[in-house]
Amino acid sequence: MFDWPTFLFSLPLLGKALLITLQTSLLGNAFGFVIAILISSMQLAKMPLLRRLGGSYIFIFRGVPLLVQLLVIYYLAPMFGLPNLSPMVAAVMALSLCSGAYIAEILRGGLMAIPSGQSEAAHLLGMSRPAILLRIELPQAVQSTLPSLVNELVLLIKASALVSVVGLADLTRVAQNLASSDYLFFQHYLVLAGIYCLINIPLTMFGRRLERHLERSLA
Amino acid sequence: MTFDLSIITANAGAIWNAFLVTIYTWLAGSVLGLMAGLLIAALMLFGGRPLQLLLRVFIELVRGTPFLVILFLVYYGGPSFGLRLGAMTAGVLCIAFYSSVYFAEIFRSGFAAVPRGQLEAGECLGLGRLQLLWRVQLPQMLVLILPAIFNMLTILCKETAVLSIITVPELTAVLTGIGTRTFTFIETLLVLCIAYLLLIEITSRAGRWLEHRVGIYLQR
């Protein structure tokens, strides 16, 4: 049933593809985090226009499937003067734009939970608004939302399987190629699922431990 | 670069059919997933320790795997076991399979949120195990888990776009198909985005309305 020689032969290829998957998801997560800081602070801004803009961003990027966002970037980028967008760049762009919206929602919750007295005090000490956000509010927001952020990373790693569609040689794409070369579809896809689980399950458990730790430290 | 919506009106029939396929796969998959999820949650609650552990492992494994990979396993890997499904059937079953574990987790947390005292009171009144479940636990927890259920429904609506990869003729497949054939990416992708935004917005509004409706008794 399970063809061991094929499996052993495929391991180095899958290992290389795993690096691509991790690279895209981690880069997507990192850029997404930066976007999220911007969007969540826009949503909490006083100017109605900024709030509206931040809200629209989240509405659009959470309402459109990631696959469609990928297709939009992949097909439309050349029309807007960005020819030859490499699959890697297109993939990271789509992942960060999308995860930015989700992380912004998480961060907003964390930022709103911080007592306003803190930013008032920092303001009186002469700190500028960006400095207050980056050095006082954000560290606390990240700490209190860390379990959700880890959960978001797991979702992003799973979502990164879709980048195989734009031709990036990630885990899913390589497994697809292997399967179509020797017709051992079930075996290759089972191994593929196993690899994703090997990354995601420990991460999920880590997130849960963080959550328990956080609950205890708050109690 | 031109913008010409006549390509949409010319293909309105095909796009409408694709829209119906999206709705069908989404709702059929979700309903099956809800039922399977309730079953899993009930088994975890009333089954013995070994069964509980087994289901826990099952849930973690499915949750750790991308939806696309599950789709590939069933649609392309299934024939190795004589499981030959049409693309549409495979799609509905995969959505049901994938969502069942998430729904199970939602139901489980709902059961846990109903106060124990009510169960004890029901037992004292002579209600059987099933009656307790059906009359006491289920109605109350449905109110509590409604937001989570609707959130999951919006996620599943977006997952149906992935079905285009295994050639289910739903919105994403049909509209990008028209786009590549006639080189009208802007128009088709715009309509595609708007269709999903509409679906998601309607679903979350319906969720909020229902939440308000059934939650009235909680405010009293």
Side-chain angles (χ1 to χ4, degrees):
Chain A
M1 196 66 231
F2 197 88
D3 190 23
W4 286 99
T6 314
F7 169 66
L8 291 178
F9 170 77
S10 69
L11 270 184
L13 290 171
L14 287 172
K16 225 187 273 170
L18 175 63
L19 288 184
I20 301 273
T21 286
L22 288 178
Q23 199 182 342
T24 32
S25 354
L26 289 178
L27 278 177
N29 202 51
F31 288 127
F33 191 75
V34 176
I35 294 174
I37 294 174
L38 256 156
I39 298 294
S40 58
S41 51
M42 266 164 87
Q43 276 205 297
L44 296 173
K46 285 197 186 70
M47 255 168 69
L49 180 69
L50 281 181
R51 299 175 83 109
R52 191 68 68 76
L53 274 176
S56 312
Y57 181 90
I58 289 180
F59 173 71
I60 290 171
F61 283 92
R62 292 209 331 172
V64 175
L66 177 66
L67 179 63
V68 176
Q69 292 178 33
L70 262 168
L71 294 174
V72 168
I73 290 178
Y74 197 62
Y75 284 126
L76 294 194
M79 295 191 184
F80 289 99
L82 280 172
N84 302 328
L85 207 58
S86 79
M88 183 70 169
V89 176
V92 170
M93 254 169 88
L95 286 181
S96 27
L97 286 171
C98 185
S99 71
Y102 286 93
I103 298 175
E105 280 289 271
I106 296 171
L107 279 187
R108 190 169 64 109
L111 287 174
M112 271 165 44
I114 297 170
S116 61
Q118 291 198 13
S119 67
E120 283 159 21
H123 184 68
L124 286 179
L125 288 172
M127 282 177 84
S128 68
R129 192 56 217 146
I132 293 174
L133 178 71
L134 288 179
R135 302 185 55 183
I136 300 205
E137 294 181 330
L138 205 60
Q140 297 183 66
V142 169
Q143 196 189 10
S144 64
T145 56
L146 209 51
S148 310
L149 291 174
V150 172
N151 193 31
E152 187 50 42
L153 179 62
V154 173
L155 289 179
L156 194 67
I157 292 174
K158 289 205 293 170
S160 78
L162 290 179
V163 303
S164 58
V165 176
V166 294
L168 190 62
D170 77 322
L171 264 180
T172 304
R173 185 54 173 237
V174 168
Q176 252 177 304
N177 292 346
L178 285 168
S180 51
S181 68
D182 56 17
Y183 301 108
L184 290 171
F185 290 102
F186 191 76
Q187 177 180 331
H188 284 301
Y189 292 143
L190 200 64
V191 171
L192 177 63
I195 297 175
Y196 277 112
C197 280
L198 274 180
I199 314 167
N200 288 336
I201 292 179
L203 256 178
T204 314
M205 286 171 147
F206 174 65
R208 252 178 241 148
R209 261 184 73 172
L210 274 178
E211 200 171 343
R212 270 200 299 271
H213 180 75
L214 199 69
E215 272 166 14
R216 236 178 295 137
S217 69
L218 287 177
Chain B
M1 210 165 74
T2 51
F3 188 78
D4 180 12
L5 278 176
S6 67
I7 194 71
I8 301 300
T9 45
N11 293 290
I15 294 172
W16 176 248
N17 282 340
F19 186 68
L20 293 182
V21 170
T22 290
I23 302 254
Y24 166 72
T25 47
W26 170 38
L27 291 183
S30 304
V31 168
L32 287 177
L34 272 168
M35 292 195 294
L38 188 58
L39 185 70
I40 295 174
L43 283 177
M44 280 188 88
L45 218 57
F46 306 123
R49 196 95 184 106
L51 187 64
Q52 219 171 48
L53 209 69
L54 210 70
L55 286 172
R56 188 77 251 161
V57 172
F58 169 72
I59 288 177
E60 290 300 334
L61 285 178
V62 177
R63 294 220 308 179
T65 313
F67 179 61
L68 180 64
V69 177
I70 292 176
L71 211 52
F72 280 169
L73 260 176
V74 172
Y75 188 64
Y76 295 119
S80 318
F81 301 99
L83 184 73
R84 277 169 220 284
L85 298 169
M88 190 103 85
T89 322
V92 170
L93 285 182
C94 280
I95 289 191
F97 181 78
Y98 180 72
S99 63
S100 67
V101 297
Y102 291 91
F103 283 132
E105 287 281 273
I106 294 173
F107 283 126
R108 205 178 50 85
S109 66
F111 279 127
V114 175
R116 273 208 63 79
Q118 298 203 5
L119 290 184
E120 284 157 12
E123 250 168 65
C124 289
L125 289 170
L127 293 179
R129 200 77 201 80
L130 264 177
Q131 267 180 315
L132 270 179
L133 178 69
W134 193 249
R135 293 272 170 91
V136 180
Q137 283 180 293
L138 215 53
Q140 295 196 69
M141 81 171 211
L142 280 182
V143 177
L144 295 175
I145 63 178
L146 211 57
I149 296 269
F150 270 86
N151 184 34
M152 194 60 212
L153 283 180
T154 58
I155 293 175
L156 291 176
C157 179
K158 288 184 280 172
E159 293 289 7
T160 59
V162 178
L163 298 185
S164 64
I165 299 174
I166 61 159
T167 68
V168 176
E170 47 71 78
L171 265 180
T172 308
V174 168
L175 276 169
T176 50
I178 295 172
T180 30
R181 261 201 318 281
T182 58
F183 221 70
T184 49
F185 293 115
I186 298 184
E187 296 85 349
T188 47
L189 287 173
L190 185 72
V191 170
L192 188 57
C193 289
I194 291 173
Y196 281 114
L197 284 174
L198 256 174
L199 271 181
I200 299 288
E201 185 62 14
I202 290 172
T203 313
S204 52
R205 265 172 205 244
R208 257 174 278 153
W209 178 79
L210 210 60
E211 222 175 285
H212 179 73
R213 265 316 290 265
V214 299
I216 288 174
Y217 90 94
L218 284 178
Q219 288 153 18
R220 256 187 252 149

Coordinates of all heavy atoms in Angstrom, one line a residue, chain A residues 110-172:
Chain A
G110 N -6.9 44.1 21.4 CA -5.8 44.2 22.4 C -5.6 45.7 22.8 O -5.4 46.1 23.9
L111 N -5.6 46.5 21.7 CA -5.4 48.0 21.9 C -6.5 48.6 22.7 O -6.3 49.5 23.6 CB -5.2 48.7 20.6 CG -3.9 48.4 19.8 CD1 -3.9 49.1 18.5 CD2 -2.7 48.9 20.6
M112 N -7.7 48.2 22.4 CA -8.9 48.8 23.1 C -8.9 48.4 24.6 O -9.5 49.2 25.4 CB -10.2 48.3 22.4 CG -10.5 49.3 21.3 SD -11.8 48.7 20.2 CE -13.0 48.0 21.2
A113 N -8.3 47.3 24.9 CA -8.3 46.9 26.3 C -7.4 47.6 27.2 O -7.4 47.5 28.5 CB -8.0 45.4 26.4
I114 N -6.5 48.4 26.6 CA -5.5 49.2 27.4 C -6.2 50.4 28.0 O -6.8 51.2 27.3 CB -4.3 49.6 26.6 CG1 -3.6 48.3 26.1 CG2 -3.3 50.4 27.4 CD1 -2.5 48.6 25.0
P115 N -6.0 50.6 29.3 CA -6.6 51.8 29.9 C -6.1 53.1 29.3 O -4.9 53.2 29.0 CB -6.2 51.7 31.4 CG -5.7 50.4 31.6 CD -5.3 49.8 30.3
S116 N -7.0 54.1 29.1 CA -6.6 55.3 28.4 C -5.7 56.1 29.2 O -5.0 57.0 28.7 CB -7.9 56.1 28.0 OG -8.6 56.4 29.1
G117 N -5.7 55.9 30.5 CA -4.8 56.7 31.4 C -3.4 56.5 31.0 O -2.6 57.5 31.2
Q118 N -3.0 55.4 30.5 CA -1.6 55.1 30.1 C -1.1 56.1 29.0 O -0.1 56.7 29.1 CB -1.4 53.7 29.7 CG -1.6 52.7 30.8 CD -1.0 51.4 30.4 OE1 -0.2 51.3 29.5 NE2 -1.3 50.4 31.2
S119 N -2.0 56.2 28.0 CA -1.5 57.1 26.9 C -1.6 58.5 27.3 O -0.8 59.3 26.8 CB -2.4 56.8 25.6 OG -3.7 57.2 25.8
E120 N -2.5 58.9 28.2 CA -2.6 60.2 28.7 C -1.3 60.6 29.5 O -0.7 61.6 29.3 CB -3.8 60.4 29.6 CG -5.1 60.6 28.8 CD -6.4 60.3 29.6 OE1 -6.3 60.3 30.8 OE2 -7.4 60.0 29.0
A121 N -0.9 59.6 30.3 CA 0.3 59.8 31.1 C 1.5 60.0 30.2 O 2.3 60.9 30.4 CB 0.5 58.7 32.1
A122 N 1.6 59.1 29.2 CA 2.7 59.2 28.3 C 2.7 60.5 27.5 O 3.8 61.1 27.3 CB 2.7 58.0 27.3
H123 N 1.5 61.0 27.2 CA 1.4 62.2 26.5 C 1.9 63.4 27.3 O 2.7 64.3 26.9 CB -0.1 62.5 26.1 CG -0.3 63.7 25.3 ND1 0.1 63.8 24.0 CD2 -0.9 64.9 25.6 CE1 -0.2 65.0 23.5 NE2 -0.8 65.7 24.5
L124 N 1.6 63.3 28.6 CA 2.0 64.4 29.5 C 3.6 64.3 29.7 O 4.2 65.3 29.9 CB 1.4 64.2 30.9 CG -0.1 64.6 30.9 CD1 -0.7 64.4 32.3 CD2 -0.2 66.1 30.5
L125 N 4.1 63.1 29.6 CA 5.6 63.0 29.7 C 6.3 63.5 28.4 O 7.5 63.4 28.3 CB 6.0 61.6 29.9 CG 5.6 61.1 31.3 CD1 5.9 59.6 31.5 CD2 6.5 61.8 32.4
G126 N 5.5 63.9 27.4 CA 6.0 64.4 26.2 C 6.3 63.4 25.1 O 7.0 63.7 24.1
M127 N 5.7 62.2 25.2 CA 5.9 61.3 24.1 C 5.0 61.6 22.9 O 3.9 62.0 23.1 CB 5.6 59.9 24.6 CG 6.7 59.3 25.4 SD 6.3 57.7 26.1 CE 6.8 56.6 24.7
S128 N 5.5 61.4 21.7 CA 4.7 61.6 20.5 C 3.7 60.5 20.3 O 3.9 59.4 20.9 CB 5.6 61.8 19.3 OG 6.1 60.5 19.0
R129 N 2.7 60.7 19.5 CA 1.6 59.7 19.3 C 2.2 58.4 18.8 O 1.8 57.3 19.3 CB 0.6 60.4 18.4 CG -0.7 59.7 18.2 CD -1.5 59.4 19.5 NE -2.1 58.1 19.4 CZ -2.3 57.3 20.4 NH1 -1.9 57.5 21.6 NH2 -2.9 56.1 20.2
P130 N 3.0 58.4 17.7 CA 3.6 57.2 17.2 C 4.4 56.5 18.3 O 4.4 55.2 18.4 CB 4.5 57.6 16.1 CG 4.0 58.9 15.6 CD 3.4 59.6 16.9
A131 N 5.2 57.2 19.1 CA 6.0 56.6 20.1 C 5.1 55.9 21.2 O 5.4 54.8 21.7 CB 6.9 57.7 20.8
I132 N 4.0 56.6 21.5 CA 3.1 56.0 22.5 C 2.5 54.7 22.0 O 2.5 53.7 22.7 CB 1.9 56.9 22.8 CG1 2.4 58.2 23.5 CG2 0.8 56.2 23.6 CD1 1.3 59.2 23.7
L133 N 2.2 54.7 20.7 CA 1.6 53.4 20.1 C 2.6 52.3 20.1 O 2.4 51.2 20.5 CB 1.1 53.7 18.6 CG 0.6 52.5 17.9 CD1 -0.7 52.1 18.5 CD2 0.5 52.8 16.4
L134 N 3.9 52.7 19.6 CA 4.9 51.6 19.4 C 5.5 51.1 20.7 O 5.9 50.0 20.8 CB 5.9 52.1 18.4 CG 5.5 52.2 16.9 CD1 6.6 52.7 16.1 CD2 5.0 50.9 16.4
R135 N 5.7 52.0 21.6 CA 6.5 51.7 22.8 C 5.6 51.4 24.0 O 6.1 50.8 25.0 CB 7.5 52.8 23.1 CG 8.4 52.9 21.9 CD 9.5 53.9 22.1 NE 10.3 53.6 23.2 CZ 11.3 54.3 23.6 NH1 11.6 55.4 23.0 NH2 12.0 54.0 24.6
I136 N 4.4 51.9 24.1 CA 3.6 51.6 25.2 C 2.4 50.7 25.0 O 2.2 49.7 25.6 CB 3.1 53.0 25.8 CG1 4.3 53.8 26.2 CG2 2.1 52.7 27.0 CD1 4.1 54.8 27.2
E137 N 1.7 51.1 23.9 CA 0.4 50.3 23.7 C 0.7 49.0 23.0 O 0.1 48.0 23.4 CB -0.6 51.2 22.9 CG -1.0 52.4 23.7 CD -2.0 53.2 22.9 OE1 -1.9 53.3 21.7 OE2 -2.8 53.9 23.6
L138 N 1.4 49.0 21.9 CA 1.6 47.8 21.1 C 2.2 46.6 21.9 O 1.7 45.5 21.8 CB 2.5 48.1 19.9 CG 2.2 47.2 18.7 CD1 0.7 47.3 18.3 CD2 3.1 47.5 17.5
P139 N 3.3 46.8 22.7 CA 3.8 45.7 23.4 C 2.8 45.0 24.3 O 2.7 43.8 24.4 CB 4.9 46.3 24.2 CG 5.3 47.5 23.5 CD 4.1 48.1 22.9
Q140 N 1.9 45.8 24.9 CA 0.9 45.2 25.8 C -0.2 44.5 25.0 O -0.6 43.5 25.4 CB 0.3 46.3 26.6 CG 1.2 47.0 27.6 CD 0.5 48.0 28.4 OE1 -0.3 47.7 29.2 NE2 0.8 49.3 28.2
A141 N -0.5 45.1 23.9 CA -1.6 44.5 23.0 C -1.1 43.2 22.5 O -1.8 42.2 22.5 CB -1.9 45.5 21.9
V142 N 0.2 43.1 22.1 CA 0.7 41.9 21.5 C 0.8 40.8 22.6 O 0.4 39.7 22.4 CB 2.1 42.1 21.0 CG1 2.8 40.8 20.7 CG2 2.1 42.9 19.7
Q143 N 1.2 41.2 23.8 CA 1.3 40.3 24.9 C -0.1 39.7 25.2 O -0.2 38.5 25.4 CB 1.8 41.0 26.2 CG 2.3 39.9 27.2 CD 2.7 40.6 28.5 OE1 2.4 41.8 28.7 NE2 3.3 39.8 29.3
S144 N -1.1 40.5 25.3 CA -2.4 40.0 25.7 C -3.1 39.3 24.5 O -4.1 38.5 24.8 CB -3.3 41.2 26.2 OG -3.6 42.1 25.1
T145 N -2.7 39.4 23.3 CA -3.4 38.7 22.2 C -2.5 37.6 21.6 O -2.8 37.1 20.5 CB -3.8 39.7 21.1 OG1 -2.6 40.4 20.6 CG2 -4.8 40.7 21.5
L146 N -1.4 37.3 22.3 CA -0.4 36.4 21.7 C -1.1 35.0 21.3 O -0.8 34.5 20.2 CB 0.8 36.1 22.7 CG 2.1 35.8 22.0 CD1 2.4 36.8 20.9 CD2 3.2 35.7 23.0
P147 N -1.9 34.4 22.1 CA -2.5 33.2 21.7 C -3.3 33.3 20.4 O -3.2 32.5 19.5 CB -3.5 32.9 22.8 CG -3.0 33.6 24.0 CD -2.3 34.8 23.5
S148 N -4.0 34.4 20.2 CA -4.8 34.6 19.0 C -3.8 34.8 17.8 O -4.1 34.3 16.7 CB -5.7 35.8 19.0 OG -6.5 35.7 20.2
L149 N -2.7 35.5 18.1 CA -1.7 35.7 17.0 C -1.1 34.4 16.5 O -0.9 34.2 15.3 CB -0.7 36.7 17.5 CG -1.1 38.1 17.7 CD1 -0.1 39.0 18.3 CD2 -1.6 38.7 16.3
V150 N -0.8 33.5 17.5 CA -0.3 32.2 17.1 C -1.3 31.4 16.3 O -0.9 30.8 15.3 CB 0.2 31.4 18.4 CG1 0.5 30.0 18.1 CG2 1.3 32.1 19.1
N151 N -2.5 31.5 16.8 CA -3.6 30.8 16.0 C -3.7 31.3 14.6 O -3.9 30.6 13.7 CB -4.9 31.1 16.8 CG -6.0 30.2 16.3 OD1 -5.8 29.1 15.9 ND2 -7.2 30.7 16.3
E152 N -3.5 32.6 14.4 CA -3.6 33.3 13.1 C -2.4 32.7 12.3 O -2.6 32.5 11.1 CB -3.5 34.8 13.3 CG -3.7 35.6 12.1 CD -4.9 35.2 11.3 OE1 -6.0 35.0 11.9 OE2 -4.8 35.2 10.0
L153 N -1.3 32.5 12.9 CA -0.1 32.0 12.1 C -0.4 30.6 11.6 O -0.1 30.3 10.5 CB 1.1 32.0 13.0 CG 2.4 31.4 12.4 CD1 2.8 32.3 11.2 CD2 3.5 31.3 13.4
V154 N -1.1 29.8 12.4 CA -1.5 28.4 12.0 C -2.4 28.5 10.8 O -2.2 27.8 9.8 CB -2.1 27.7 13.1 CG1 -2.7 26.3 12.6 CG2 -1.2 27.4 14.3
L155 N -3.4 29.4 10.9 CA -4.3 29.6 9.8 C -3.6 30.0 8.5 O -3.9 29.6 7.4 CB -5.4 30.6 10.1 CG -6.4 30.2 11.2 CD1 -7.4 31.3 11.4 CD2 -7.2 29.0 10.7
L156 N -2.6 30.9 8.7 CA -1.8 31.4 7.5 C -1.0 30.3 6.9 O -0.9 30.2 5.7 CB -0.9 32.6 8.0 CG -0.4 33.4 6.8 CD1 -1.5 34.1 6.1 CD2 0.6 34.4 7.3
I157 N -0.4 29.5 7.7 CA 0.4 28.3 7.1 C -0.5 27.4 6.3 O -0.2 27.0 5.2 CB 1.1 27.6 8.3 CG1 2.2 28.4 8.9 CG2 1.7 26.3 7.7 CD1 2.8 27.8 10.1
K158 N -1.8 27.2 6.9 CA -2.7 26.4 6.1 C -3.1 27.1 4.8 O -3.2 26.5 3.8 CB -3.9 26.1 7.0 CG -3.6 25.1 8.1 CD -4.9 24.4 8.5 CE -5.9 25.2 9.2 NZ -7.1 24.5 9.4
A159 N -3.4 28.4 4.9 CA -3.8 29.1 3.8 C -2.8 29.2 2.7 O -3.0 29.3 1.5 CB -4.2 30.6 4.2
S160 N -1.5 29.1 3.1 CA -0.4 29.2 2.2 C -0.4 28.1 1.2 O 0.3 28.2 0.1 CB 1.0 29.3 2.9 OG 1.4 28.0 3.3
A161 N -1.2 27.0 1.4 CA -1.3 25.9 0.5 C -1.8 26.4 -0.9 O -1.6 25.9 -1.9 CB -2.2 24.8 1.0
L162 N -2.6 27.5 -0.8 CA -3.2 28.1 -2.0 C -2.2 28.7 -2.9 O -2.5 28.9 -4.1 CB -4.3 29.1 -1.6 CG -5.6 28.5 -0.9 CD1 -6.5 29.6 -0.6 CD2 -6.2 27.5 -1.9
V163 N -1.1 29.1 -2.4 CA -0.1 29.8 -3.3 C 0.4 28.8 -4.4 O 1.0 29.3 -5.4 CB 1.1 30.4 -2.6 CG1 0.6 31.4 -1.5 CG2 2.0 29.3 -2.0
S164 N 0.1 27.5 -4.2 CA 0.5 26.6 -5.3 C -0.2 26.9 -6.6 O 0.3 26.6 -7.7 CB 0.2 25.1 -4.8 OG -1.2 25.0 -4.6
V165 N -1.3 27.6 -6.5 CA -2.1 27.9 -7.6 C -1.4 28.9 -8.6 O -1.5 28.8 -9.8 CB -3.5 28.5 -7.2 CG1 -4.3 28.9 -8.4 CG2 -4.3 27.4 -6.4
V166 N -0.6 29.8 -8.0 CA 0.1 30.8 -8.8 C 1.4 30.3 -9.2 O 2.3 31.0 -9.8 CB 0.2 32.2 -8.2 CG1 -1.1 32.8 -8.0 CG2 1.0 32.1 -6.9
G167 N 1.7 29.0 -9.0 CA 2.9 28.4 -9.5 C 4.1 28.4 -8.6 O 5.2 28.1 -9.1
L168 N 3.9 28.8 -7.4 CA 5.1 28.7 -6.4 C 5.3 27.3 -6.0 O 4.4 26.6 -5.7 CB 4.8 29.6 -5.2 CG 6.0 29.9 -4.3 CD1 7.1 30.6 -5.0 CD2 5.5 30.7 -3.1
A169 N 6.6 26.8 -6.0 CA 6.9 25.4 -5.7 C 6.8 25.2 -4.2 O 7.8 24.8 -3.6 CB 8.2 25.0 -6.3
D170 N 5.7 25.4 -3.5 CA 5.6 25.2 -2.1 C 5.2 23.7 -1.9 O 5.2 22.9 -2.8 CB 4.5 26.1 -1.5 CG 3.1 25.5 -1.8 OD1 2.9 25.0 -2.9 OD2 2.2 25.6 -1.0
L171 N 5.0 23.3 -0.6 CA 4.8 21.9 -0.3 C 3.7 21.3 -1.1 O 3.9 20.2 -1.7 CB 4.3 21.9 1.2 CG 5.4 21.5 2.3 CD1 4.7 21.5 3.6 CD2 6.0 20.2 2.0
T172 N 2.5 22.0 -1.2 CA 1.4 21.4 -1.9 C 1.7 21.2 -3.4 O 1.4 20.2 -4.0 CB 0.2 22.4 -1.8 OG1 -0.1 22.6 -0.4 CG2 -1.0 21.8 -2.4

